[in-house]
């Protein structure tokens, strides 16, 4: 797949993709057409005026799993119909988009005319019980998270791109992920919708919850629960603008800027600059960076700072007040409640529930490190 100066070469059946220079891709096409190594090497020398080490090129293809051994089965035929592909076309049809616009417009108008429906951190506490609040938000968010990832997956399936759902982490945050590596195999202009689909889903989900809260009453249950889940959806949407993480917005920027691995390059660029500032030798070989990544990283490094600033703003306006209220509520129940009283047990169970996500992330990180050590 032509991609700027490079050509994306990959195997969709195993989701392996790499950016080849144009001459390397042409050489690969010669081999794919049936030329032997000597003939392909001679063609390359005549075409580009340089001699290429064909044995080294062949070894690179083996490492990328681009050479099929005799006992390996053939890859699935290109263009094979994927499951859920038709549903993806329906979800992104013009009647569906019209419905999404109506729901979002309705929600915005409700928040303009009814201040009680506007987001504020107090909306999280839809019940006096901290335990029920934690459980309600945890299980209540799951359909919204699935909706977000399903929109990613269906947008990819609509294009014939295989997609997979998984579990991962960003720093200490437990996240669900959709594998969209197959987008490297479609034209660049077709990648934007699958990358932005999750944010579109969040806006639709927030709108639907806000409308439901308005219809059922924002001061009575279940309207209070709908408002709490609507706020959590907005926080997930804001999280996409943490530029120092590989979020959906980051993926859109990488696509628009024609980069390959901007995140890693920017982190290494920042690390090298910091070490030079203190007169220490650099750790990362800048010769390994893709030229476009190197060019963009010089100014994208400032976006890292903006991402941290935006994170601090969200923390100050929502997360810190929320955590303080939860912590004070737990402390009050633990310190003032009699042992084994409902208030005391509510505080204990709420505290344990708050420890589950970071503990899960810690286990995942340890397992990945153990797997890397075993592989080495």
């Amino acid at each position: 797949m032509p991609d700027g100066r490079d050509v994306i070469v990959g195997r969709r059946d195993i989701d392996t993709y790499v950016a080849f220079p144009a001459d390397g891709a042409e050489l690969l096409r010669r081999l794919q057409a049936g030329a032997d190594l000597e003939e392909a090497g001679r063609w390359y020398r005549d075409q580009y005026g340089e001699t290429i080490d064909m044995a080294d090129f062949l070894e690179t293809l083996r490492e990328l799993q681009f050479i099929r051994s005799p006992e390996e089965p053939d890859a699935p035929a290109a263009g094979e119909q994927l499951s859920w592909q038709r549903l993806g076309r329906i979800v992104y049809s013009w009647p569906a988009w019209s419905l999404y616009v109506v729901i979002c417009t309705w929600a915005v108008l409700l928040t303009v005319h009814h201040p009680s429906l506007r987001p504020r951190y107090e909306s999280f506490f839809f019940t006096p019980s901290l335990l029920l609040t934690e459980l309600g938000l945890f299980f209540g968010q799951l359909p919204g998270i699935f909706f977000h990832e399903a929109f990613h997956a269906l947008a990819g399936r609509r294009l014939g791109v295989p997609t997979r759902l998984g579990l991962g982490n960003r720093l200490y945050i437990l996240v669900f992920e959709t594998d969209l590596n197959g987008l490297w195999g479609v034209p660049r202009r077709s990648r934007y919708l699958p990358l932005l689909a999750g944010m579109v889903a969040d806006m639709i989900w927030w709108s639907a919850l806000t409308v439901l809260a308005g219809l059922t009453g924002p001061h009575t249950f279940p309207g209070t629960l709908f408002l709490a889940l609507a706020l959590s959806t907005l926080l997930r949407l804001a999280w996409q603008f943490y530029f120092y993480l590989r979020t959906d917005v980051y993926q859109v920027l990488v696509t628009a800027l024609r980069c390959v691995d901007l995140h890693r390059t920017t982190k290494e660029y920042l690390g090298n600059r910091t070490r030079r500032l203190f007169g220490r030798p650099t750790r990362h070989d800048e010769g390994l960076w893709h030229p476009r990544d190197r060019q963009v990283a010089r100014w994208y490094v400032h976006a890292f700072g903006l991402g941290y600033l935006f994170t601090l703003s969200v923390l100050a306006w929502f997360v810190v007040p929320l955590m303080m209220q939860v912590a004070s509520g737990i402390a009050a129940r633990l310190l003032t409640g009699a042992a084994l009283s409902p208030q005391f047990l509510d505080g204990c169970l709420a505290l344990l529930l708050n420890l589950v996500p970071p503990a899960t992330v810690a286990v995942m990180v340890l397992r990945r490190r153990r797997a890397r050590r075993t592989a080495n």
Side-chain angles (χ1 to χ4, degrees):
M1 178 64 60
D3 193 68
R5 295 181 179 179
D6 297 324
V7 178
I8 302 299
V9 181
R11 285 182 56 184
R12 181 169 287 180
D13 57 319
I14 61 173
D15 260 357
T16 297
Y17 300 89
V18 65
F20 269 47
D23 58 336
E26 287 300 323
L27 178 61
L28 182 56
R29 287 193 180 100
R30 287 277 166 173
L31 294 174
Q32 193 175 17
D36 60 31
L37 293 181
E38 183 178 350
E39 181 185 350
R42 187 168 53 252
W43 171 86
Y44 186 90
R45 184 178 63 251
D46 295 341
Q47 187 75 18
Y48 297 101
E50 296 179 5
T51 301
I52 187 170
D53 186 341
M54 291 302 298
D56 183 66
F57 186 71
L58 197 66
E59 184 59 33
T60 299
L61 296 181
R62 284 199 180 95
E63 292 175 359
L64 294 171
Q65 296 179 276
F66 287 171
I67 296 180
R68 182 173 59 87
S69 61
E71 62 273 9
E72 184 181 350
D74 290 335
E80 183 177 323
Q81 184 77 11
L82 291 172
S83 57
W84 307 107
Q85 193 168 353
R86 185 180 179 187
L87 178 59
R89 296 193 183 103
I90 294 173
V91 167
Y92 292 101
S93 62
W94 71 263
W97 280 110
S98 302
L99 178 61
Y100 304 153
V101 170
V102 169
I103 294 174
C104 292
T105 304
W106 188 0
V108 170
L109 291 176
L110 282 175
T111 57
V112 169
H113 294 289
H114 301 282
S116 58
L117 294 174
R118 296 172 189 172
R120 58 186 189 278
Y121 80 89
E122 292 89 352
S123 299
F124 276 122
F125 302 96
F126 62 91
T127 174
S129 169
L130 289 178
L131 178 61
L132 291 179
T133 297
E134 297 274 356
L135 291 174
L137 288 173
F138 178 79
F139 289 105
Q141 286 188 83
L142 294 180
I145 294 172
F146 177 78
F147 189 68
H148 174 108
E149 300 302 336
F151 256 55
H152 277 306
L154 290 173
R157 293 289 174 121
R158 166 179 162 269
L159 299 174
V161 173
T163 54
R164 292 186 298 273
L165 299 180
L167 192 65
N169 69 285
R170 297 289 187 274
L171 298 178
Y172 60 90
I173 305 170
L174 189 66
V175 296
F176 291 89
E177 299 174 315
T178 302
D179 187 345
L180 291 170
N181 284 339
L183 289 181
W184 286 105
V186 301
R188 186 177 294 270
R189 64 180 180 277
S190 300
R191 301 174 196 169
Y192 293 106
L193 180 57
L195 295 174
L196 290 169
M199 299 177 68
V200 172
D202 286 341
M203 280 302 302
I204 298 170
W205 196 254
W206 169 81
S207 300
L209 290 169
T210 301
V211 169
L212 287 173
L215 294 175
T216 57
H219 301 294
T220 58
F221 191 85
T224 52
L225 174 59
F226 292 143
L227 277 182
L229 295 176
L231 178 57
S232 68
T233 303
L234 284 182
L235 290 178
R236 288 202 308 272
L237 187 61
W239 183 81
Q240 301 296 341
F241 293 90
Y242 295 174
F243 293 107
Y244 54 91
L245 300 176
R246 297 175 188 265
T247 62
D248 294 348
V249 172
Y250 161 80
Q251 300 294 348
V252 170
L253 287 173
V254 166
T255 302
L257 295 171
R258 299 183 178 276
C259 295
V260 177
D261 193 354
L262 180 60
H263 181 81
R264 180 183 63 84
T265 301
T266 304
K267 287 181 65 176
E268 294 181 357
Y269 173 79
L270 182 60
N272 283 354
R273 282 190 59 181
T274 303
R275 293 180 71 85
R276 288 193 190 103
L277 184 64
F278 290 96
R280 302 176 65 184
T282 59
R283 287 182 176 176
H284 305 289
D285 182 1
E286 299 183 4
L288 298 177
W289 299 344
H290 189 276
R292 182 58 177 166
D293 289 344
R294 180 204 302 272
Q295 181 184 10
V296 174
R298 294 190 178 97
W299 63 263
Y300 186 75
V301 68
H302 301 294
F304 267 44
L306 290 176
Y308 281 110
L309 183 61
F310 185 69
T311 302
L312 292 175
S313 300
V314 173
L315 286 172
W317 291 337
F318 286 101
V319 179
V320 171
L322 173 65
M323 293 176 62
M324 290 178 62
Q325 188 156 340
V326 170
S328 62
I330 292 175
R333 285 161 172 76
L334 295 179
L335 296 176
T336 62
L340 301 182
S341 68
Q343 293 81 7
F344 180 82
L345 293 175
D346 184 77
C348 289
L349 293 174
L351 178 61
L352 288 175
L353 199 59
N354 273 279
L355 298 176
V356 170
T360 304
V361 170
V363 170
M364 292 171 61
V365 171
L366 289 174
R367 289 183 62 182
R368 282 201 293 264
R369 289 181 178 176
R370 189 179 299 115
R372 282 198 296 266
R373 285 198 297 266
T374 302
N376 294 332

